[in-house]
Amino acid sequence: MTGLRQRKKQAAMRHIQHTALELFEKKGFDNVTVEQVAEAAEVSSSSIYRYFTTKEGLVLHDEHDEKFLGTVMTELESGAAILDALDTGIGSVAEEHFHRDRDTTLARTKLWASHEGIQAAAGQYVARLSEQLVQAIVRGGCYDGVEARFIVVALLNGMLSAIRSWQLQGASGSPEQYMARGLSALGRVFHEGGDARSTMPSL
């Protein structure tokens, strides 16, 4: 069960983020400062930096991140299958992230896709997240670092692509369905190509 302190943190992050997104919608992302968000949300600027690190983080991060990452890392380090670990992680936040906060998630995804500065920050964030997942996979004992990095890059970018497709198509269905379609397509690619290792050039 989530503790009181964690619930208060999540509520504060949600309030700040909703306030920020309203300002971004009205004035444009580039025309809003962290200080303006803090004033509108009635919190200190330091609180925003503590929760979101940067202005771009107000779009990229949310209160679900820790739960998702913690769940996936625990599963991977225990040796769980990678897709099972991701499925468990997504399942732990899907109801709140994609259903309860559907409109917020859509607004964030749209802003992310349309702003180069946010995209650049997202690239750095995904790189840091990828390395954490790589190390967890390696500790799980089934894959080495080279294999783990290839897998993580493919899956994380696939997940982000699925969420973007969900947003572009009017959020019909659920992001999980788009992810499943992508994984199914990837499976067909390998099935059609036979053993992928036999098609790779020698290094």
Side-chain angles (χ1 to χ4, degrees):
M1 180 179 295
T2 305
L4 177 60
R5 183 175 180 180
Q6 183 65 16
R7 291 198 299 273
K8 286 183 175 181
K9 176 183 177 181
Q10 291 172 341
M13 291 182 69
R14 188 159 55 249
H15 168 65
I16 292 168
Q17 188 169 66
H18 286 181
T19 301
L21 289 172
E22 288 177 357
L23 289 174
F24 297 155
E25 177 67 23
K26 291 177 182 177
K27 300 182 178 182
F29 180 81
D30 293 327
N31 299 319
V32 176
T33 66
V34 169
E35 289 71 26
Q36 288 172 326
V37 174
E39 181 178 0
E42 298 183 329
V43 299
S44 66
S45 298
S46 61
S47 293
I48 294 179
Y49 287 117
R50 183 169 68 252
Y51 291 142
F52 297 97
T53 307
T54 64
K55 177 181 167 183
E56 290 78 12
L58 286 162
V59 178
L60 298 176
H61 304 306
D62 60 35
E63 75 270 23
H64 309 303
D65 290 351
E66 289 183 8
K67 184 175 183 180
F68 168 76
L69 182 58
T71 300
V72 174
M73 294 278 284
T74 298
E75 292 290 311
L76 291 175
E77 290 175 352
S78 70
I82 294 173
L83 291 182
D84 288 343
L86 287 176
D87 187 56
T88 300
I90 293 169
S92 72
V93 300
E95 179 61 33
E96 296 173 331
H97 198 357
F98 299 121
H99 300 285
R100 185 198 70 187
D101 295 338
R102 174 181 177 275
D103 291 343
T104 298
T105 301
L106 283 171
R108 291 169 56 203
T109 305
K110 182 178 180 180
L111 188 53
W112 180 341
S114 64
H115 193 281
E116 291 184 357
I118 298 174
Q119 292 172 12
Q124 296 175 5
Y125 171 69
V126 170
R128 292 193 298 270
L129 175 60
S130 296
E131 193 57 29
Q132 291 181 64
L133 294 175
V134 165
Q135 296 306 319
I137 290 172
V138 171
R139 286 193 292 271
C142 296
Y143 301 94
D144 64 22
V146 172
E147 296 165 336
R149 285 186 179 84
F150 190 98
I151 292 166
V152 167
V153 168
L155 291 178
L156 273 187
N157 282 282
M159 289 172 62
L160 295 175
S161 175
I163 294 172
R164 175 63 171 152
S165 294
W166 171 70
Q167 180 258 322
L168 285 173
Q169 296 186 15
S172 58
S174 69
E176 301 97 309
Q177 292 172 324
Y178 284 84
M179 292 176 197
R181 285 180 59 187
L183 288 170
S184 177
L186 189 60
R188 293 199 302 275
V189 167
F190 281 101
H191 178 72
E192 292 170 0
D195 188 342
R197 289 173 296 180
S198 67
T199 66
M200 295 294 103
S202 299
L203 298 180

